[in-house]
DNA sequence: AACTCGATTCAA
DNA sequence: GATATTGAATCGAGTT
């Protein structure tokens, strides 16, 4: 961490365990035409160069023609198991997977660049300055700012093949070396190295999960839609059940032309009917007693199902019995993953019965119980909180230690501390929580103060917050009007809540990344030994799903637990904080928790 | 026709 | 209970 948490870190960190980082062979893959992986026949489309850790060529560069990249990659993977270096795994790996090629290790230049851009412990230098001064976060470092790469000087003599005319290979290799040079040979550097390796492994896992897909039972989904909405209707037509409810709403509100999908119209109609509301949010409507409320809430419920996960959703996003969202690794500032396509981050419980294992297979659904407060206990080395976390239920542990056994209050207080609540129930419980767990609460308060002061904070492995907006920093130094002063302070508190939560959410994301990485390695090792314990098919912040041959369900569950223990040790070494995971074997997702 | 934005609801 | 973090996606209603 930037300061406080870093000082409290134990000597036993991840340093000795960085097997992956010590790999000494790297295969750099460059596209000949920087934009398109494929181009006209006859000319090389890509070039692969095997180098050592210093960037020295170990073999002559391999020219790749047409669509033969999978062949080249598969051969080199089998012979050398190098760490592959791609500008972006997201753009290369899906094609390799489609051709049946798996790779074990990777360094993703784009993902590493994004982390280094905000990493407080990275070694300063020209490369760091160049990526930090780029306005576009997705842009590569300008070639003229990269240090020169030492590709073997005689490659042209060894081969009469066309050289890499674009210089793409040299640029990629130079950036790769520059990125490695950013990782210091210190305890913090070991953590940063772990983060870069884990993030890159995440890119592989994300692509593999998209390739595998979530098994989706279309018939079951259609069945539950028919039950809730009625049979399918053409686009632009309300499903029968929705239309019935809409008609009832129009009658009850005496508004014959009301479109209940329009919040503005609905609000007007309700006010005209004498219902004093300022918005149409469902949880506020539940407070009101009026005949229209019940059908209105029913309408909102079916409308949401029809719009977000209805027949159209199934047609658009489920193919060949698989839902294949795209994962955007590191797509959230905190390091959590974003996703694209089909709303994978918000699969409602309502439709989870449609997530169903293939015949002969089962789903193993696992989640890390109360991950974030446990992460806070580890980050802050708070022995008392670690003790409360020792049982299965951390919130009950907190409740028994100082909240008179009241679990609900303990949970509200803890969440409030991590999110930055100041008022209400949560705010009132804070002094008690701080008295009981001074180190844990002290750490998040420190992080909040850093943010309010315009400073950066970092996760345990060294993912830093982006710099505070320059506009705000400027405005706070010269406050003019009273109103402007208040706005600047409000933005500061907001920034403080962000940095407060960042250290916890960011480190939790790192734990989850390591969990999946450790699990993937175990699944791959098992497969090489002839045991197919299934594959990861879904990930959501602190929850994973595997699609597993039924006979190997117990093996998969054991690996999930083993991977969680390994991830905890990899991050934090030996510490007295438990990170229990619950793993259940089910046929369909709705049977999990 | 394509874009943006507010309101809403879903998820961890 | 009264609210605080991070997201995706849809709709309506306004704009370019």
């Amino acid at each position: 961490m930037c300061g406080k948490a870093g000082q409290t870190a134990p000597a036993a960190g991840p340093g000795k365990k960085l097997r992956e980082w010590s790999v000494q062979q790297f295969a750099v893959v460059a596209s000949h035409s920087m934009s398109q992986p494929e181009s006209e026949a006859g000319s090389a489309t890509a070039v692969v160069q095997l180098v050592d850790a210093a960037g020295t060529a170990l073999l002559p560069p391999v020219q790749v023609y047409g669509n033969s990249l999978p062949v080249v990659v598969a051969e080199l993977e089998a012979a050398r198991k190098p760490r592959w270096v791609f500008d972006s795994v997201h753009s290369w790996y899906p094609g390799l997977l489609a051709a049946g090629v798996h790779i074990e290790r990777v360094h993703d230049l784009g993902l590493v660049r994004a982390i280094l851009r905000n990493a407080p412990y990275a070694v300063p230098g020209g490369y760091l300055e160049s990526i930090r001064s780029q306005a576009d976060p997705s842009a590569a470092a300008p070639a003229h700012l990269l240090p020169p790469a030492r590709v073997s000087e005689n490659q042209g003599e060894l081969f009469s093949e066309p050289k890499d005319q674009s210089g793409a290979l040299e640029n990629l290799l130079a950036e790769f070396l520059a990125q490695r040079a950013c990782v210091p040979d210190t305890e913090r550097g070991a953590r940063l190295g772990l983060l870069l390796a884990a993030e890159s492994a995440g890119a592989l896992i994300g692509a593999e999960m998209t390739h595998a897909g979530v098994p989706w039972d279309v018939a079951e989904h259609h069945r539950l839609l028919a039950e809730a909405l009625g049979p399918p209707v053409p686009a632009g037509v309300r499903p029968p059940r929705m239309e019935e409810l809409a008609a009832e709403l129009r009658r009850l509100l005496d508004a014959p032309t009301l479109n209940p999908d329009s919040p503005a119209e609905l609000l007007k109609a309700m006010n005209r009917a004498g219902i004093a509301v300022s918005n149409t949010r469902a949880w506020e409507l539940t407070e009101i007693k009026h005949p229209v409320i019940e059908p209105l809430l029913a309408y909102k419920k079916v409308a949401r199902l029809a719009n977000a996960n209805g027949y159209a959703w199934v047609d658009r996003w489920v193919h060949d019995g698989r839902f294949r969202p795209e994962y955007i690794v590191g797509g959230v500032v905190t390091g959590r993953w974003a996703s694209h396509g089909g709303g994978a981050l918000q699969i409602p419980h309502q439709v989870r019965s449609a997530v169903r294992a293939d015949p002969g297979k089962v789903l193993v659904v696992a989640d890390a119980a109360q991950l974030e407060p446990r992460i806070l206990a580890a980050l802050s080395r708070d022995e008392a909180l670690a003790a409360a976390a020792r049982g299965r239920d951390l919130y009950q542990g907190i409740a028994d230690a100082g909240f008179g056994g009241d679990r609900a209050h303990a949970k509200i207080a803890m969440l409030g501390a991590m999110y930055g609540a100041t008022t209400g129930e949560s705010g009132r419980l804070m002094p008690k929580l701080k008295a009981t767990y001074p180190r844990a609460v002290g750490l998040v308060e420190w992080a909040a103060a850093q943010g309010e002061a315009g400073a950066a904070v970092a996760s345990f492995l060294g993912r830093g917050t982006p710099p505070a907006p320059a506009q705000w920093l400027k405005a706070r130094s010269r406050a003019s009007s009273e109103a402007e002063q208040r706005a600047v302070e409000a933005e500061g508190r907001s920034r403080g809540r962000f940095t407060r939560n960042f250290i916890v959410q960011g480190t939790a994301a790192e734990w989850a990344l390591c969990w999946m990485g450790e699990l993937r390695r175990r699944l791959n090792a098992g497969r090489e030994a002839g045991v197919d314990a299934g594959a990861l098919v879904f990930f959501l912040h602190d929850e994973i799903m595997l699609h597993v041959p039924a006979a190997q369900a117990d093996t998969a569950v054991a690996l999930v637990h083993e991977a969680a223990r390994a991830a905890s040790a990899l991050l934090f070494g030996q510490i007295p904080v438990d990170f229990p995971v619950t793993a259940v074997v089910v046929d369909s997702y709705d049977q999990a928790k």
Side-chain angles (χ1 to χ4, degrees), chain A residues 262 341 343 346 421 423-425 497:
Chain A
S262 165
Q346 37 177 162
T423 61
E425 183 81 15
R497 287 194 301 274

PDB file of all heavy atoms in Angstrom, chain A residues 262 341 343 346 421 423-425 497, chain C residues 2-6 8-9 12-13:
ATOM      1  N   SER A 262     -43.247   4.441 -18.791  1.00  0.00           N
ATOM      2  CA  SER A 262     -42.681   5.781 -18.694  1.00  0.00           C
ATOM      3  C   SER A 262     -42.806   6.297 -17.263  1.00  0.00           C
ATOM      4  O   SER A 262     -43.901   6.607 -16.806  1.00  0.00           O
ATOM      5  CB  SER A 262     -43.416   6.725 -19.652  1.00  0.00           C
ATOM      6  OG  SER A 262     -43.111   8.066 -19.323  1.00  0.00           O
ATOM      7  N   GLY A 341     -22.245  -7.927 -22.747  1.00  0.00           N
ATOM      8  CA  GLY A 341     -23.067  -8.864 -23.496  1.00  0.00           C
ATOM      9  C   GLY A 341     -23.954  -9.710 -22.620  1.00  0.00           C
ATOM     10  O   GLY A 341     -23.536 -10.693 -22.013  1.00  0.00           O
ATOM     11  N   GLY A 343     -25.566  -8.868 -19.835  1.00  0.00           N
ATOM     12  CA  GLY A 343     -25.714  -8.507 -18.434  1.00  0.00           C
ATOM     13  C   GLY A 343     -25.294  -9.594 -17.472  1.00  0.00           C
ATOM     14  O   GLY A 343     -26.015  -9.945 -16.535  1.00  0.00           O
ATOM     15  N   GLN A 346     -25.471  -9.397 -13.583  1.00  0.00           N
ATOM     16  CA  GLN A 346     -26.761  -9.194 -12.933  1.00  0.00           C
ATOM     17  C   GLN A 346     -27.770 -10.252 -13.367  1.00  0.00           C
ATOM     18  O   GLN A 346     -28.936  -9.935 -13.653  1.00  0.00           O
ATOM     19  CB  GLN A 346     -27.290  -7.789 -13.271  1.00  0.00           C
ATOM     20  CG  GLN A 346     -26.979  -7.383 -14.688  1.00  0.00           C
ATOM     21  CD  GLN A 346     -27.536  -6.039 -15.077  1.00  0.00           C
ATOM     22  OE1 GLN A 346     -27.107  -5.457 -16.046  1.00  0.00           O
ATOM     23  NE2 GLN A 346     -28.512  -5.538 -14.353  1.00  0.00           N
ATOM     24  N   ALA A 421     -20.345   5.063   5.386  1.00  0.00           N
ATOM     25  CA  ALA A 421     -21.588   5.640   5.886  1.00  0.00           C
ATOM     26  C   ALA A 421     -21.288   6.572   7.055  1.00  0.00           C
ATOM     27  O   ALA A 421     -20.417   6.302   7.869  1.00  0.00           O
ATOM     28  CB  ALA A 421     -22.526   4.529   6.341  1.00  0.00           C
ATOM     29  N   THR A 423     -24.159   8.705   8.379  1.00  0.00           N
ATOM     30  CA  THR A 423     -25.410   9.053   9.056  1.00  0.00           C
ATOM     31  C   THR A 423     -26.199   7.793   9.398  1.00  0.00           C
ATOM     32  O   THR A 423     -25.793   6.684   9.077  1.00  0.00           O
ATOM     33  CB  THR A 423     -26.285   9.931   8.139  1.00  0.00           C
ATOM     34  OG1 THR A 423     -26.584   9.183   6.958  1.00  0.00           O
ATOM     35  CG2 THR A 423     -25.572  11.212   7.771  1.00  0.00           C
ATOM     36  N   GLY A 424     -27.309   7.994  10.043  1.00  0.00           N
ATOM     37  CA  GLY A 424     -28.243   6.902  10.298  1.00  0.00           C
ATOM     38  C   GLY A 424     -27.690   5.839  11.225  1.00  0.00           C
ATOM     39  O   GLY A 424     -26.710   6.040  11.943  1.00  0.00           O
ATOM     40  N   GLU A 425     -28.336   4.707  11.177  1.00  0.00           N
ATOM     41  CA  GLU A 425     -28.001   3.569  12.019  1.00  0.00           C
ATOM     42  C   GLU A 425     -26.506   3.234  11.954  1.00  0.00           C
ATOM     43  O   GLU A 425     -25.816   3.098  12.951  1.00  0.00           O
ATOM     44  CB  GLU A 425     -28.826   2.362  11.535  1.00  0.00           C
ATOM     45  CG  GLU A 425     -28.651   1.104  12.346  1.00  0.00           C
ATOM     46  CD  GLU A 425     -29.505   1.142  13.605  1.00  0.00           C
ATOM     47  OE1 GLU A 425     -30.408   1.986  13.673  1.00  0.00           O
ATOM     48  OE2 GLU A 425     -29.233   0.328  14.500  1.00  0.00           O
ATOM     49  N   ARG A 497     -14.812   8.234   0.120  1.00  0.00           N
ATOM     50  CA  ARG A 497     -15.545   6.964   0.150  1.00  0.00           C
ATOM     51  C   ARG A 497     -15.004   6.008  -0.894  1.00  0.00           C
ATOM     52  O   ARG A 497     -14.917   4.808  -0.672  1.00  0.00           O
ATOM     53  CB  ARG A 497     -17.050   7.215  -0.079  1.00  0.00           C
ATOM     54  CG  ARG A 497     -17.754   7.846   1.103  1.00  0.00           C
ATOM     55  CD  ARG A 497     -19.283   7.766   0.961  1.00  0.00           C
ATOM     56  NE  ARG A 497     -19.777   8.435  -0.234  1.00  0.00           N
ATOM     57  CZ  ARG A 497     -20.058   9.731  -0.314  1.00  0.00           C
ATOM     58  NH1 ARG A 497     -19.904  10.504   0.748  1.00  0.00           N
ATOM     59  NH2 ARG A 497     -20.500  10.257  -1.433  1.00  0.00           N
TER      60      ARG A 497
ATOM     61  P    DA C   2     -30.617   2.014   9.785  1.00  0.00           P
ATOM     62  OP1  DA C   2     -29.313   1.492   9.374  1.00  0.00           O
ATOM     63  OP2  DA C   2     -30.760   2.810  11.011  1.00  0.00           O
ATOM     64  O5'  DA C   2     -31.182   2.845   8.540  1.00  0.00           O
ATOM     65  C5'  DA C   2     -31.003   4.226   8.503  1.00  0.00           C
ATOM     66  C4'  DA C   2     -31.304   4.717   7.127  1.00  0.00           C
ATOM     67  O4'  DA C   2     -32.432   4.017   6.569  1.00  0.00           O
ATOM     68  C3'  DA C   2     -31.676   6.203   7.145  1.00  0.00           C
ATOM     69  O3'  DA C   2     -30.967   6.858   6.120  1.00  0.00           O
ATOM     70  C2'  DA C   2     -33.166   6.210   6.888  1.00  0.00           C
ATOM     71  C1'  DA C   2     -33.353   4.949   6.028  1.00  0.00           C
ATOM     72  N9   DA C   2     -34.682   4.370   6.126  1.00  0.00           N
ATOM     73  C8   DA C   2     -34.990   3.059   6.332  1.00  0.00           C
ATOM     74  N7   DA C   2     -36.277   2.805   6.379  1.00  0.00           N
ATOM     75  C5   DA C   2     -36.872   4.051   6.187  1.00  0.00           C
ATOM     76  C6   DA C   2     -38.220   4.457   6.117  1.00  0.00           C
ATOM     77  N6   DA C   2     -39.249   3.618   6.255  1.00  0.00           N
ATOM     78  N1   DA C   2     -38.461   5.771   5.922  1.00  0.00           N
ATOM     79  C2   DA C   2     -37.427   6.605   5.785  1.00  0.00           C
ATOM     80  N3   DA C   2     -36.128   6.341   5.832  1.00  0.00           N
ATOM     81  C4   DA C   2     -35.905   5.025   6.033  1.00  0.00           C
ATOM     82  P    DT C   3     -29.428   7.146   6.356  1.00  0.00           P
ATOM     83  OP1  DT C   3     -29.093   6.924   7.784  1.00  0.00           O
ATOM     84  OP2  DT C   3     -29.098   8.381   5.703  1.00  0.00           O
ATOM     85  O5'  DT C   3     -28.850   5.967   5.506  1.00  0.00           O
ATOM     86  C5'  DT C   3     -27.439   5.725   5.475  1.00  0.00           C
ATOM     87  C4'  DT C   3     -27.095   5.168   4.119  1.00  0.00           C
ATOM     88  O4'  DT C   3     -27.823   3.947   3.872  1.00  0.00           O
ATOM     89  C3'  DT C   3     -27.476   6.148   2.984  1.00  0.00           C
ATOM     90  O3'  DT C   3     -26.326   6.372   2.217  1.00  0.00           O
ATOM     91  C2'  DT C   3     -28.517   5.389   2.191  1.00  0.00           C
ATOM     92  C1'  DT C   3     -28.171   3.925   2.499  1.00  0.00           C
ATOM     93  N1   DT C   3     -29.280   2.927   2.228  1.00  0.00           N
ATOM     94  C2   DT C   3     -30.516   3.318   1.761  1.00  0.00           C
ATOM     95  O2   DT C   3     -30.799   4.460   1.562  1.00  0.00           O
ATOM     96  N3   DT C   3     -31.396   2.306   1.516  1.00  0.00           N
ATOM     97  C4   DT C   3     -31.204   0.963   1.692  1.00  0.00           C
ATOM     98  O4   DT C   3     -32.082   0.155   1.432  1.00  0.00           O
ATOM     99  C5   DT C   3     -29.892   0.615   2.207  1.00  0.00           C
ATOM    100  C7   DT C   3     -29.566  -0.787   2.454  1.00  0.00           C
ATOM    101  C6   DT C   3     -29.003   1.590   2.430  1.00  0.00           C
ATOM    102  P    DA C   4     -25.975   7.760   1.683  1.00  0.00           P
ATOM    103  OP1  DA C   4     -25.756   8.751   2.732  1.00  0.00           O
ATOM    104  OP2  DA C   4     -26.997   7.986   0.646  1.00  0.00           O
ATOM    105  O5'  DA C   4     -24.604   7.420   0.954  1.00  0.00           O
ATOM    106  C5'  DA C   4     -23.418   7.337   1.709  1.00  0.00           C
ATOM    107  C4'  DA C   4     -22.722   6.012   1.535  1.00  0.00           C
ATOM    108  O4'  DA C   4     -23.391   4.972   2.266  1.00  0.00           O
ATOM    109  C3'  DA C   4     -22.667   5.425   0.113  1.00  0.00           C
ATOM    110  O3'  DA C   4     -21.461   5.825  -0.486  1.00  0.00           O
ATOM    111  C2'  DA C   4     -22.766   3.932   0.288  1.00  0.00           C
ATOM    112  C1'  DA C   4     -22.860   3.753   1.802  1.00  0.00           C
ATOM    113  N9   DA C   4     -23.731   2.685   2.245  1.00  0.00           N
ATOM    114  C8   DA C   4     -24.404   1.786   1.469  1.00  0.00           C
ATOM    115  N7   DA C   4     -25.111   0.923   2.134  1.00  0.00           N
ATOM    116  C5   DA C   4     -24.903   1.280   3.449  1.00  0.00           C
ATOM    117  C6   DA C   4     -25.367   0.760   4.656  1.00  0.00           C
ATOM    118  N6   DA C   4     -26.192  -0.271   4.726  1.00  0.00           N
ATOM    119  N1   DA C   4     -24.974   1.346   5.797  1.00  0.00           N
ATOM    120  C2   DA C   4     -24.146   2.383   5.714  1.00  0.00           C
ATOM    121  N3   DA C   4     -23.634   2.971   4.649  1.00  0.00           N
ATOM    122  C4   DA C   4     -24.059   2.368   3.533  1.00  0.00           C
ATOM    123  P    DT C   5     -21.291   5.767  -2.048  1.00  0.00           P
ATOM    124  OP1  DT C   5     -20.451   6.918  -2.371  1.00  0.00           O
ATOM    125  OP2  DT C   5     -22.621   5.592  -2.670  1.00  0.00           O
ATOM    126  O5'  DT C   5     -20.464   4.428  -2.328  1.00  0.00           O
ATOM    127  C5'  DT C   5     -19.093   4.345  -1.909  1.00  0.00           C
ATOM    128  C4'  DT C   5     -18.466   3.116  -2.511  1.00  0.00           C
ATOM    129  O4'  DT C   5     -19.088   1.934  -1.954  1.00  0.00           O
ATOM    130  C3'  DT C   5     -18.656   2.956  -4.010  1.00  0.00           C
ATOM    131  O3'  DT C   5     -17.692   3.698  -4.723  1.00  0.00           O
ATOM    132  C2'  DT C   5     -18.445   1.465  -4.177  1.00  0.00           C
ATOM    133  C1'  DT C   5     -19.091   0.901  -2.925  1.00  0.00           C
ATOM    134  N1   DT C   5     -20.496   0.454  -3.171  1.00  0.00           N
ATOM    135  C2   DT C   5     -20.710  -0.761  -3.758  1.00  0.00           C
ATOM    136  O2   DT C   5     -19.808  -1.491  -4.108  1.00  0.00           O
ATOM    137  N3   DT C   5     -22.025  -1.094  -3.937  1.00  0.00           N
ATOM    138  C4   DT C   5     -23.134  -0.356  -3.589  1.00  0.00           C
ATOM    139  O4   DT C   5     -24.267  -0.777  -3.798  1.00  0.00           O
ATOM    140  C5   DT C   5     -22.840   0.923  -2.981  1.00  0.00           C
ATOM    141  C7   DT C   5     -23.972   1.800  -2.577  1.00  0.00           C
ATOM    142  C6   DT C   5     -21.565   1.262  -2.796  1.00  0.00           C
ATOM    143  P    DT C   6     -17.905   4.064  -6.280  1.00  0.00           P
ATOM    144  OP1  DT C   6     -16.758   4.859  -6.714  1.00  0.00           O
ATOM    145  OP2  DT C   6     -19.294   4.570  -6.428  1.00  0.00           O
ATOM    146  O5'  DT C   6     -17.861   2.635  -6.997  1.00  0.00           O
ATOM    147  C5'  DT C   6     -16.646   1.890  -7.023  1.00  0.00           C
ATOM    148  C4'  DT C   6     -16.901   0.564  -7.684  1.00  0.00           C
ATOM    149  O4'  DT C   6     -17.850  -0.219  -6.916  1.00  0.00           O
ATOM    150  C3'  DT C   6     -17.526   0.656  -9.065  1.00  0.00           C
ATOM    151  O3'  DT C   6     -16.533   0.912 -10.030  1.00  0.00           O
ATOM    152  C2'  DT C   6     -18.125  -0.742  -9.210  1.00  0.00           C
ATOM    153  C1'  DT C   6     -18.600  -1.048  -7.779  1.00  0.00           C
ATOM    154  N1   DT C   6     -20.057  -0.788  -7.593  1.00  0.00           N
ATOM    155  C2   DT C   6     -20.945  -1.803  -7.805  1.00  0.00           C
ATOM    156  O2   DT C   6     -20.604  -2.915  -8.163  1.00  0.00           O
ATOM    157  N3   DT C   6     -22.257  -1.488  -7.610  1.00  0.00           N
ATOM    158  C4   DT C   6     -22.768  -0.263  -7.215  1.00  0.00           C
ATOM    159  O4   DT C   6     -23.969  -0.103  -7.062  1.00  0.00           O
ATOM    160  C5   DT C   6     -21.781   0.773  -7.014  1.00  0.00           C
ATOM    161  C7   DT C   6     -22.232   2.140  -6.580  1.00  0.00           C
ATOM    162  C6   DT C   6     -20.494   0.465  -7.203  1.00  0.00           C
ATOM    163  P    DA C   8     -20.134  -1.883 -16.800  1.00  0.00           P
ATOM    164  OP1  DA C   8     -19.202  -2.513 -17.745  1.00  0.00           O
ATOM    165  OP2  DA C   8     -20.515  -0.467 -16.957  1.00  0.00           O
ATOM    166  O5'  DA C   8     -21.476  -2.739 -16.733  1.00  0.00           O
ATOM    167  C5'  DA C   8     -21.411  -4.153 -16.719  1.00  0.00           C
ATOM    168  C4'  DA C   8     -22.737  -4.727 -17.157  1.00  0.00           C
ATOM    169  O4'  DA C   8     -23.768  -4.355 -16.216  1.00  0.00           O
ATOM    170  C3'  DA C   8     -23.215  -4.244 -18.522  1.00  0.00           C
ATOM    171  O3'  DA C   8     -23.776  -5.340 -19.220  1.00  0.00           O
ATOM    172  C2'  DA C   8     -24.233  -3.157 -18.203  1.00  0.00           C
ATOM    173  C1'  DA C   8     -24.771  -3.572 -16.849  1.00  0.00           C
ATOM    174  N9   DA C   8     -25.062  -2.443 -15.952  1.00  0.00           N
ATOM    175  C8   DA C   8     -24.246  -1.385 -15.663  1.00  0.00           C
ATOM    176  N7   DA C   8     -24.771  -0.528 -14.811  1.00  0.00           N
ATOM    177  C5   DA C   8     -26.016  -1.062 -14.521  1.00  0.00           C
ATOM    178  C6   DA C   8     -27.066  -0.627 -13.696  1.00  0.00           C
ATOM    179  N6   DA C   8     -27.015   0.486 -12.958  1.00  0.00           N
ATOM    180  N1   DA C   8     -28.168  -1.390 -13.632  1.00  0.00           N
ATOM    181  C2   DA C   8     -28.223  -2.517 -14.356  1.00  0.00           C
ATOM    182  N3   DA C   8     -27.302  -3.027 -15.174  1.00  0.00           N
ATOM    183  C4   DA C   8     -26.214  -2.242 -15.212  1.00  0.00           C
ATOM    184  P    DA C   9     -24.116  -5.223 -20.772  1.00  0.00           P
ATOM    185  OP1  DA C   9     -24.090  -6.588 -21.320  1.00  0.00           O
ATOM    186  OP2  DA C   9     -23.346  -4.124 -21.378  1.00  0.00           O
ATOM    187  O5'  DA C   9     -25.645  -4.756 -20.693  1.00  0.00           O
ATOM    188  C5'  DA C   9     -26.590  -5.633 -20.098  1.00  0.00           C
ATOM    189  C4'  DA C   9     -27.908  -4.917 -19.972  1.00  0.00           C
ATOM    190  O4'  DA C   9     -27.804  -3.938 -18.928  1.00  0.00           O
ATOM    191  C3'  DA C   9     -28.336  -4.161 -21.230  1.00  0.00           C
ATOM    192  O3'  DA C   9     -29.506  -4.756 -21.755  1.00  0.00           O
ATOM    193  C2'  DA C   9     -28.600  -2.744 -20.763  1.00  0.00           C
ATOM    194  C1'  DA C   9     -28.698  -2.902 -19.253  1.00  0.00           C
ATOM    195  N9   DA C   9     -28.276  -1.698 -18.533  1.00  0.00           N
ATOM    196  C8   DA C   9     -27.104  -1.008 -18.658  1.00  0.00           C
ATOM    197  N7   DA C   9     -27.019   0.045 -17.887  1.00  0.00           N
ATOM    198  C5   DA C   9     -28.223   0.054 -17.210  1.00  0.00           C
ATOM    199  C6   DA C   9     -28.768   0.926 -16.243  1.00  0.00           C
ATOM    200  N6   DA C   9     -28.141   1.997 -15.770  1.00  0.00           N
ATOM    201  N1   DA C   9     -30.008   0.640 -15.769  1.00  0.00           N
ATOM    202  C2   DA C   9     -30.646  -0.428 -16.239  1.00  0.00           C
ATOM    203  N3   DA C   9     -30.242  -1.315 -17.147  1.00  0.00           N
ATOM    204  C4   DA C   9     -29.008  -1.015 -17.596  1.00  0.00           C
ATOM    205  P    DG C  12     -40.233   2.659 -24.186  1.00  0.00           P
ATOM    206  OP1  DG C  12     -41.672   2.334 -24.207  1.00  0.00           O
ATOM    207  OP2  DG C  12     -39.446   2.608 -25.426  1.00  0.00           O
ATOM    208  O5'  DG C  12     -40.045   4.103 -23.548  1.00  0.00           O
ATOM    209  C5'  DG C  12     -40.568   4.358 -22.252  1.00  0.00           C
ATOM    210  C4'  DG C  12     -40.217   5.779 -21.835  1.00  0.00           C
ATOM    211  O4'  DG C  12     -38.771   5.914 -21.754  1.00  0.00           O
ATOM    212  C3'  DG C  12     -40.694   6.873 -22.791  1.00  0.00           C
ATOM    213  O3'  DG C  12     -41.130   7.962 -21.993  1.00  0.00           O
ATOM    214  C2'  DG C  12     -39.443   7.209 -23.598  1.00  0.00           C
ATOM    215  C1'  DG C  12     -38.333   6.984 -22.588  1.00  0.00           C
ATOM    216  N9   DG C  12     -37.027   6.580 -23.120  1.00  0.00           N
ATOM    217  C8   DG C  12     -36.775   5.617 -24.070  1.00  0.00           C
ATOM    218  N7   DG C  12     -35.498   5.461 -24.325  1.00  0.00           N
ATOM    219  C5   DG C  12     -34.876   6.384 -23.491  1.00  0.00           C
ATOM    220  C6   DG C  12     -33.504   6.682 -23.322  1.00  0.00           C
ATOM    221  O6   DG C  12     -32.530   6.174 -23.891  1.00  0.00           O
ATOM    222  N1   DG C  12     -33.307   7.681 -22.377  1.00  0.00           N
ATOM    223  C2   DG C  12     -34.308   8.312 -21.684  1.00  0.00           C
ATOM    224  N2   DG C  12     -33.924   9.245 -20.826  1.00  0.00           N
ATOM    225  N3   DG C  12     -35.590   8.041 -21.825  1.00  0.00           N
ATOM    226  C4   DG C  12     -35.805   7.067 -22.745  1.00  0.00           C
ATOM    227  P    DA C  13     -41.945   9.151 -22.656  1.00  0.00           P
ATOM    228  OP1  DA C  13     -42.890   9.639 -21.640  1.00  0.00           O
ATOM    229  OP2  DA C  13     -42.439   8.722 -23.983  1.00  0.00           O
ATOM    230  O5'  DA C  13     -40.815  10.255 -22.869  1.00  0.00           O
ATOM    231  C5'  DA C  13     -40.115  10.759 -21.727  1.00  0.00           C
ATOM    232  C4'  DA C  13     -39.024  11.685 -22.202  1.00  0.00           C
ATOM    233  O4'  DA C  13     -37.906  10.891 -22.675  1.00  0.00           O
ATOM    234  C3'  DA C  13     -39.424  12.603 -23.370  1.00  0.00           C
ATOM    235  O3'  DA C  13     -38.996  13.918 -23.099  1.00  0.00           O
ATOM    236  C2'  DA C  13     -38.685  12.000 -24.561  1.00  0.00           C
ATOM    237  C1'  DA C  13     -37.432  11.475 -23.873  1.00  0.00           C
ATOM    238  N9   DA C  13     -36.699  10.471 -24.633  1.00  0.00           N
ATOM    239  C8   DA C  13     -37.211   9.495 -25.458  1.00  0.00           C
ATOM    240  N7   DA C  13     -36.297   8.728 -26.008  1.00  0.00           N
ATOM    241  C5   DA C  13     -35.105   9.231 -25.514  1.00  0.00           C
ATOM    242  C6   DA C  13     -33.773   8.858 -25.727  1.00  0.00           C
ATOM    243  N6   DA C  13     -33.390   7.845 -26.511  1.00  0.00           N
ATOM    244  N1   DA C  13     -32.821   9.571 -25.087  1.00  0.00           N
ATOM    245  C2   DA C  13     -33.196  10.585 -24.299  1.00  0.00           C
ATOM    246  N3   DA C  13     -34.413  11.026 -24.026  1.00  0.00           N
ATOM    247  C4   DA C  13     -35.339  10.299 -24.670  1.00  0.00           C
TER     248       DA C  13
END
